[in-house]
Amino acid sequence: MGLVTGILTLPLAPVRGTAWVLDQVLLAAEREYYDPEPVRRRLAELVDDFERSRIDAEEFDRREDELLDRLDEIEAYRRRPPGNGS
């Protein structure tokens, strides 16, 4: 970026800065949302709860299905080609 271009686009600097910050927040949120470790941890806790008879088989099956569906969603996200926004 040349000096003249820098001077002419200076009023847009706050917009560019805000867009960058929002992009960083979005990336951090995506990393957290698509992290499989919390789901795996909840799955292990669920198995423990079932084995200790804290929940019945019906509740275990329902919650296990939800967690496994979530893991499938995470895996599908991780397999998608880079740059594919959907």
Side-chain angles (χ1 to χ4, degrees):
M1 180 181 329
L3 179 61
V4 174
T5 304
I7 292 172
L8 292 175
T9 61
L10 190 60
L12 298 176
V15 173
R16 284 192 306 264
T18 301
W20 180 85
V21 169
L22 290 175
D23 190 45
Q24 297 305 306
V25 169
L26 177 62
L27 289 173
E30 276 186 351
R31 277 192 301 271
E32 186 175 326
Y33 184 74
Y34 289 110
D35 181 7
E37 285 311 309
V39 179
R40 290 182 183 134
R41 197 173 12 215
R42 287 195 309 245
L43 194 53
E45 291 168 1
L46 181 65
V47 169
D48 186 57
D49 286 347
F50 179 67
E51 289 174 348
R52 295 174 185 261
S53 299
R54 293 183 192 137
I55 58 173
D56 61 15
E58 184 179 320
E59 178 71 7
F60 175 81
D61 288 340
R62 184 185 63 76
R63 291 173 53 191
E64 181 189 40
D65 286 345
E66 291 172 0
L67 291 171
L68 292 175
D69 287 347
R70 180 71 183 112
L71 282 175
D72 287 344
E73 178 186 356
I74 291 169
E75 285 303 313
Y77 173 81
R78 290 173 161 226
R79 282 191 306 262
R80 78 170 207 237
N84 185 354
S86 54

